[in-house]
Structures are given as structure tokens and as C-alpha cells.
Amino acid sequence: NLKLLSLRKSCEQLANIDQAQGLHDQFLDAYVSGAGFQRNAASYLLEPIIAWFKSSGELDSPLKERVQSLILNSFGDPRMQGGMNSWPPLHQDENGRRRRTCQDQLIRWLTKDTLRLFFKAIKKTADTSGGDSAALRHWPQRQAFWERYLDQGYIDQAWVVLGSRVSQQLESLSSTDGLEVIKYGQFAMADNAAIIMRIGESATVVEWSHNGAVWVCPNSHAAAPKMFSTQIYEDNELRSPKNDTRVSRITHDVNHSWRPKLDTAIHDL
């Protein structure tokens, strides 16, 4: 298709142009509908559009949020069951390697935004409760800890689980941060939130919004919670199993000794 090949070439050239000029948004306005990508056009354009975001600074831009929303609205979340196969085949990609590379890049974006959604839920809960909870008052240190892991590329996947009251509070906020498209699990505990993280090939971590201790186990452990589930998570599914030597349970103490303990528990796996 000569027209789509020409559009692909134009799209590739935009990767070397400053996004502040607005040409990338103009391209999307002209050739991608507001509802999302057409499958045929996506086969040619998805790969070069994702290549627009080479530097970390570009990943925090409204343009990246727009592209992410377009992809998710068009083809769904690749982390969910069947999500990988919902994408169209890409141009000159017989073995599917290019498509998988694009999906991996989107998953990295979603992992970062899932952490952002969790932090936003914590802040909203703290604002609503007036900061009375000691666990919530300690959240700046906990957030800084996990942001360091995220920035260093240790967190491969993340899945946030929100209680009904927490999710309702978030949905009541007007949002321009793109997080409204991020999927999350449902928690049976209405006032709580938790996040499940896969760190490398070895560790699963469950962190809580309130007084639940953070805990770490091998990815292969039977107690490691499933990620990206559409079922409601019960409290016991996200609590650490007792008397299990393969599980490290760490309480967030006021002296912050939990930080080196958690580092050690993760890196020892």
C-alpha cells in the first residue's frame, strides 16, 4: 500500500523532530481517528509511532499519554488475557518479533503508570483521612523507595488492586494525567489498596496502602498473587503466608530500617 508506506516514512522522520513543535499531534489528528487506529493503518504506523519516545523525558509528555490511550482503546491491554493476540500483524514482521518489542515497550509504560495510579490512590486516601494514619504519613518514603526501583528498571510488571471506595474516589477526580485508561484489579476490602510487582525473574512483592506489611516471595511460590486478574481479590490472597521460610515479611518501622531489609530480601532471591 503506497499511501501507508508514505505515511510510515513521514512517521519515522518525526522521531527526530522536537515534540514541542506539535507536528506529532498534527500527524495523529490527520491520520489516526479519535476513536483509535484502524487495523490496516496500525500495521504500518504502530512501530514508528512508539519509536517517537526514545528518551525518558518524552515518556512524561501528554503526547505519550495520547498515544498510549489510542493503542489501548484500539487493541486493549497486552497484559490481560488474550491481549497480545489482539494486535494486528506489523509491517515486515513475519516472526512477530517487532510486534512483541512494541508490546514490551507499551508494558513498560503501563508498569510506570500503574505505580503512578497506586501513588495517586494513596494520596487521595491520605487527603480524605486527613493524614491520621501513621502508615499514610510514612508514604513519601515508601513512594521514593519504589520510584527508585522503577527508575533503575527493576520493576518488570505491576498490577494495582483497589477497594471500591478507593476506586470511586479516584474516578471522582477530573484527570489530565492519562491514568483513567489504566486497568486495575478489584479488592474485596473497600478502603484499601495494594500493588503486586514482579521484580526481575525471581521476586514477587506485595505492598499495601495502609498497615499491611510488605512481603516478598519467589515468583514460583504458590502464594505469589496472580496478576492482571479480573476476579475480585480477597484479603487473604494478598496477605503474606505465615511460617513460611521462603517468604520475607517486613513491617514499615518509623526508623526506616525496613528499606535495607527489603532491598536484601529482594536481591537475595
Side-chain angles (χ1 to χ4, degrees):
N1 189 313
L2 293 179
K3 180 180 179 181
L4 288 174
L5 284 172
S6 177
L7 287 177
R8 180 182 174 89
K9 184 66 175 178
S10 299
C11 195
E12 290 171 341
Q13 293 170 345
L14 285 171
N16 300 314
I17 295 176
D18 186 354
Q19 293 180 7
Q21 297 184 30
L23 297 177
H24 303 75
D25 278 308
Q26 291 176 24
F27 183 91
L28 295 176
D29 291 340
Y31 301 113
V32 180
S33 73
F37 290 93
Q38 299 296 318
R39 289 186 70 84
N40 193 32
S43 296
Y44 288 81
L45 300 182
L46 271 179
E47 185 180 20
I49 285 176
I50 288 175
W52 289 350
F53 308 96
K54 296 177 181 177
S55 72
S56 58
E58 293 165 341
L59 292 179
D60 294 324
S61 67
L63 178 63
K64 174 261 175 183
E65 301 300 341
R66 180 182 181 184
V67 168
Q68 178 173 282
S69 294
L70 285 169
I71 296 173
L72 292 174
N73 290 336
S74 302
F75 309 117
D77 189 329
R79 303 174 301 171
M80 307 300 289
Q81 185 174 4
M84 291 287 189
N85 295 327
S86 66
W87 283 43
L90 299 190
H91 178 63
Q92 294 183 339
D93 185 31
E94 292 183 1
N95 60 11
R97 187 174 301 166
R98 289 182 173 182
R99 184 172 77 163
R100 183 60 212 236
T101 298
C102 290
Q103 290 173 335
D104 287 345
Q105 181 61 54
L106 179 61
I107 288 171
R108 283 191 286 272
W109 296 353
L110 293 171
T111 296
K112 180 175 182 179
D113 283 350
T114 297
L115 266 291
R116 289 173 59 211
L117 180 65
F118 186 57
F119 299 150
K120 185 176 180 179
I122 301 303
K123 184 178 186 304
K124 179 61 178 175
T125 302
D127 292 344
T128 303
S129 65
D132 292 336
S133 167
L136 293 177
R137 287 199 301 273
H138 298 150
W139 248 103
Q141 293 78 23
R142 293 160 72 182
Q143 179 171 340
F145 181 92
W146 293 119
E147 285 180 336
R148 173 170 62 88
Y149 267 70
L150 184 67
D151 292 342
Q152 292 176 351
Y154 292 139
I155 303 176
D156 289 336
Q157 293 186 332
W159 181 241
V160 69
V161 183
L162 303 177
S164 58
R165 291 195 185 95
V166 179
S167 61
Q168 287 168 8
Q169 289 172 349
L170 288 178
E171 290 167 2
S172 69
L173 299 175
S174 59
S175 175
T176 58
D177 54 16
L179 296 182
E180 68 278 358
V181 300
I182 304 301
K183 290 186 177 296
Y184 55 84
Q186 299 178 68
F187 201 173
M189 296 182 67
D191 293 312
N192 268 282
I195 189 166
I196 310 164
M197 292 172 279
R198 296 278 189 267
I199 299 180
E201 297 181 357
S202 55
T204 293
V205 178
V206 180
E207 175 69 285
W208 284 69
S209 59
H210 287 65
N211 293 319
V214 61
W215 58 282
V216 185
C217 71
N219 288 341
S220 59
H221 196 290
K226 293 181 180 179
M227 303 182 79
F228 316 122
S229 174
T230 58
Q231 304 295 318
I232 294 176
Y233 287 80
E234 298 296 336
D235 178 54
N236 64 322
E237 294 180 75
L238 300 180
R239 296 284 182 187
S240 60
K242 296 179 180 179
N243 303 318
D244 191 323
T245 58
R246 298 180 68 203
V247 175
S248 297
R249 182 181 183 275
I250 299 162
T251 302
H252 303 94
D253 61 291
V254 295
N255 296 319
H256 307 304
S257 65
W258 60 268
R259 290 182 292 193
K261 291 178 182 177
L262 186 51
D263 275 327
T264 299
I266 291 170
H267 293 296
D268 280 355
L269 288 177

